[in-house]
PDB file of all heavy atoms in Angstrom:
ATOM      1  N   LEU A 140      67.004 133.349 102.627  1.00 79.00           N
ATOM      2  CA  LEU A 140      65.562 133.486 102.812  1.00 79.00           C
ATOM      3  C   LEU A 140      64.848 133.707 101.481  1.00 79.00           C
ATOM      4  O   LEU A 140      63.766 133.166 101.237  1.00 79.00           O
ATOM      5  CB  LEU A 140      65.271 134.655 103.763  1.00 79.00           C
ATOM      6  CG  LEU A 140      65.498 134.377 105.252  1.00 79.00           C
ATOM      7  CD1 LEU A 140      65.353 135.669 106.050  1.00 79.00           C
ATOM      8  CD2 LEU A 140      64.521 133.324 105.754  1.00 79.00           C
ATOM      9  N   LYS A 141      65.454 134.495 100.606  1.00 69.00           N
ATOM     10  CA  LYS A 141      64.865 134.744  99.286  1.00 69.00           C
ATOM     11  C   LYS A 141      64.713 133.442  98.509  1.00 69.00           C
ATOM     12  O   LYS A 141      63.649 133.166  97.926  1.00 69.00           O
ATOM     13  CB  LYS A 141      65.734 135.731  98.510  1.00 69.00           C
ATOM     14  CG  LYS A 141      65.187 136.066  97.126  1.00 69.00           C
ATOM     15  CD  LYS A 141      66.167 136.912  96.338  1.00 69.00           C
ATOM     16  CE  LYS A 141      67.355 136.085  95.868  1.00 69.00           C
ATOM     17  NZ  LYS A 141      68.244 136.839  94.959  1.00 69.00           N
ATOM     18  N   HIS A 142      65.742 132.619  98.521  1.00 60.00           N
ATOM     19  CA  HIS A 142      65.681 131.358  97.791  1.00 60.00           C
ATOM     20  C   HIS A 142      64.732 130.372  98.467  1.00 60.00           C
ATOM     21  O   HIS A 142      64.142 129.515  97.784  1.00 60.00           O
ATOM     22  CB  HIS A 142      67.083 130.761  97.659  1.00 60.00           C
ATOM     23  CG  HIS A 142      67.906 131.397  96.579  1.00 60.00           C
ATOM     24  ND1 HIS A 142      67.836 131.012  95.267  1.00 60.00           N
ATOM     25  CD2 HIS A 142      68.797 132.421  96.618  1.00 60.00           C
ATOM     26  CE1 HIS A 142      68.657 131.751  94.533  1.00 60.00           C
ATOM     27  NE2 HIS A 142      69.253 132.619  95.336  1.00 60.00           N
ATOM     28  N   PHE A 143      64.592 130.476  99.779  1.00 72.00           N
ATOM     29  CA  PHE A 143      63.640 129.615 100.486  1.00 72.00           C
ATOM     30  C   PHE A 143      62.219 129.872  99.983  1.00 72.00           C
ATOM     31  O   PHE A 143      61.484 128.947  99.633  1.00 72.00           O
ATOM     32  CB  PHE A 143      63.730 129.860 101.991  1.00 72.00           C
ATOM     33  CG  PHE A 143      62.602 129.250 102.771  1.00 72.00           C
ATOM     34  CD1 PHE A 143      62.588 127.895 103.049  1.00 72.00           C
ATOM     35  CD2 PHE A 143      61.545 130.028 103.224  1.00 72.00           C
ATOM     36  CE1 PHE A 143      61.545 127.323 103.768  1.00 72.00           C
ATOM     37  CE2 PHE A 143      60.500 129.479 103.943  1.00 72.00           C
ATOM     38  CZ  PHE A 143      60.503 128.113 104.211  1.00 72.00           C
ATOM     39  N   PHE A 144      61.819 131.144  99.948  1.00 77.00           N
ATOM     40  CA  PHE A 144      60.479 131.483  99.470  1.00 77.00           C
ATOM     41  C   PHE A 144      60.332 131.177  97.980  1.00 77.00           C
ATOM     42  O   PHE A 144      59.270 130.745  97.520  1.00 77.00           O
ATOM     43  CB  PHE A 144      60.178 132.956  99.738  1.00 77.00           C
ATOM     44  CG  PHE A 144      60.005 133.268 101.198  1.00 77.00           C
ATOM     45  CD1 PHE A 144      60.892 134.110 101.853  1.00 77.00           C
ATOM     46  CD2 PHE A 144      58.970 132.702 101.929  1.00 77.00           C
ATOM     47  CE1 PHE A 144      60.738 134.392 103.199  1.00 77.00           C
ATOM     48  CE2 PHE A 144      58.812 132.985 103.276  1.00 77.00           C
ATOM     49  CZ  PHE A 144      59.699 133.825 103.911  1.00 77.00           C
ATOM     50  N   GLY A 145      61.422 131.379  97.206  1.00 68.00           N
ATOM     51  CA  GLY A 145      61.367 131.065  95.782  1.00 68.00           C
ATOM     52  C   GLY A 145      61.168 129.578  95.535  1.00 68.00           C
ATOM     53  O   GLY A 145      60.392 129.182  94.657  1.00 68.00           O
ATOM     54  N   GLY A 146      61.862 128.740  96.318  1.00 60.00           N
ATOM     55  CA  GLY A 146      61.685 127.303  96.171  1.00 60.00           C
ATOM     56  C   GLY A 146      60.286 126.852  96.534  1.00 60.00           C
ATOM     57  O   GLY A 146      59.711 125.956  95.894  1.00 60.00           O
ATOM     58  N   ALA A 147      59.726 127.466  97.575  1.00 65.00           N
ATOM     59  CA  ALA A 147      58.359 127.116  97.971  1.00 65.00           C
ATOM     60  C   ALA A 147      57.357 127.489  96.879  1.00 65.00           C
ATOM     61  O   ALA A 147      56.423 126.729  96.583  1.00 65.00           O
ATOM     62  CB  ALA A 147      58.013 127.822  99.273  1.00 65.00           C
ATOM     63  N   MET A 148      57.561 128.640  96.256  1.00 64.00           N
ATOM     64  CA  MET A 148      56.660 129.051  95.180  1.00 64.00           C
ATOM     65  C   MET A 148      56.802 128.161  93.955  1.00 64.00           C
ATOM     66  O   MET A 148      55.840 127.980  93.195  1.00 64.00           O
ATOM     67  CB  MET A 148      56.944 130.508  94.788  1.00 64.00           C
ATOM     68  CG  MET A 148      56.480 131.533  95.813  1.00 64.00           C
ATOM     69  SD  MET A 148      56.643 133.224  95.188  1.00 64.00           S
ATOM     70  CE  MET A 148      58.402 133.336  94.928  1.00 64.00           C
TER      71      MET A 148
END
Side-chain angles (χ1 to χ4, degrees):
L140 283 172
K141 181 187 73 173
H142 281 275
F143 168 78
F144 290 116
M148 288 188 298

